[in-house]
Amino acid sequence: MDSIEHNRQAWDQRVRDGQRFTRPATPMELREAAKNIDPWVSAEGVHHKTVLCLGAGGGRQGPLYAAAGGLVTVVDVSVQQLEIDRRVAHQAKLNLITVATSMDDLSQLVAGSFDIVVHPVSTCYLPDIVRVYEQVARVLKIGGLYVSQHKQPTSLQADIRRSKHGYEITEPYYRQGPLPDVKGSPHREPGTLEYLHRWEQLIGGMCRSGFVIEDLAEPKHADPAAKMGSFGDRSQFIAPYVRIKARRVEQPERTDRTPTITLA
Ligand SMILES: C[S@@+](CC[C@H](N)C(=O)[O-])C[C@H]1O[C@@H](n2cnc3c(N)ncnc32)[C@H](O)[C@@H]1O
């Protein structure tokens, strides 16, 4: 079984088990949708814009952007996650389209058809992030906005337990293949296969795929009062996520996907 099929089954199971990130937006959140969507997207304006919510099933992102006035398509590999989007949309009388596919194959979507792509944390479930960026570049209009969030590589490298030295780096940076399974970590989703992407892939790969980066943020989860070993405590040492605001620009075709730069 390949990693896409593995993760599809794992996320379908997470829905059946009612796990994290499978819970829909509440009616109250939908009523105040403009306040509950990404601030960079909100500043751009969503009304009557075509919005692709990528790797974003689960009844939260898609319904919120639709309630804020966007013409929404939700892509997710998990049929169960998309079922939640359809149910919430039906209950709240919202229109949205759902497409079950892996985010590294958006061939069902028309090239240049989206004004905005919103991409919550989900690139960690695929080994090749640049392939995903190339797919996003194809479906986004020139000048379109791409807002994505990713797990930081250091967070995926570091132990989930706190030692007397802090949170030690236990995984090599230049690693191949899925990360070892981990239980009881709020930074990982047990049962799924997750991959570390290096900064040159996360940021460089985006630039090489036809985007310029306009802003970057590290959502702050650090909590000095948090219990030792908790999410808030670990986040004091390592920011778990990075959020990137990028713009699709015209760029000449390139063949070198990952240039090797060696400094003397
Ligand atoms: C952490 S959740 C993000 C969406 C979440 N419901 C939220 O509230 O933001 C990750 C999502 O990525 C989806 N996913 C995993 N692998 C994928 C792939 N290869 N292509 C598309 N979606 C994928 C999962 O099914 C899941 O819905």
Side-chain angles (χ1 to χ4, degrees), residues 40-234:
W40 287 330
V41 180
S42 169
E44 185 96 352
V46 242
H47 200 61
H48 284 171
K49 301 234 176 108
T50 44
V51 181
L52 171 61
C53 296
L54 186 59
R60 181 165 183 81
Q61 310 289 344
L64 280 174
Y65 283 93
L71 309 170
V72 171
T73 302
V74 186
V75 161
D76 203 286
V77 80
S78 159
V79 175
Q80 298 284 333
Q81 284 278 70
L82 293 175
E83 182 53 37
I84 306 177
D85 288 285
R86 285 193 292 272
R87 194 181 67 227
V88 173
H90 177 73
Q91 284 164 353
K93 299 190 171 45
L94 295 167
N95 284 322
L96 53 76
I97 296 167
T98 58
V99 180
T101 185
S102 176
M103 64 187 114
D104 64 349
D105 176 10
L106 302 181
S107 55
Q108 294 180 58
L109 305 179
V110 177
S113 57
F114 290 96
D115 297 302
I116 299 168
V117 175
V118 179
H119 197 174
V121 175
S122 55
T123 49
C124 52
Y125 305 111
L126 280 172
D128 187 352
I129 194 169
V130 175
R131 224 179 122 97
V132 179
Y133 291 153
E134 288 169 348
Q135 294 292 298
V136 176
R138 191 186 74 81
V139 300
L140 195 55
K141 292 178 186 170
I142 300 294
L145 176 69
Y146 177 32
V147 173
S148 58
Q149 184 156 318
H150 312 264
K151 294 188 181 180
Q152 291 223 22
T154 317
S155 181
L156 293 174
Q157 282 181 274
D159 205 331
I160 60 160
R161 287 157 306 195
R162 182 169 168 171
S163 77
K164 61 177 186 216
H165 305 295
Y167 294 90
E168 294 177 40
I169 300 282
T170 53
E171 282 300 315
Y173 191 52
Y174 296 91
R175 66 182 318 294
Q176 300 285 327
L179 289 152
D181 201 13
V182 59
K183 295 216 168 16
S185 169
H187 299 86
R188 301 275 306 280
E189 285 71 52
T192 66
L193 295 176
E194 292 187 72
Y195 298 84
L196 177 154
H197 301 119
R198 300 189 301 275
W199 286 113
E200 65 180 348
Q201 297 165 323
L202 279 164
I203 304 288
M206 192 178 283
C207 297
R208 288 190 292 275
S209 303
F211 297 94
V212 289
I213 293 170
E214 294 185 347
D215 207 345
L216 188 149
E218 292 176 298
K220 196 170 173 193
H221 295 279
D223 177 1
K227 213 174 108 214
M228 254 209 195
S230 67
F231 186 82
D233 179 59
R234 191 177 186 266

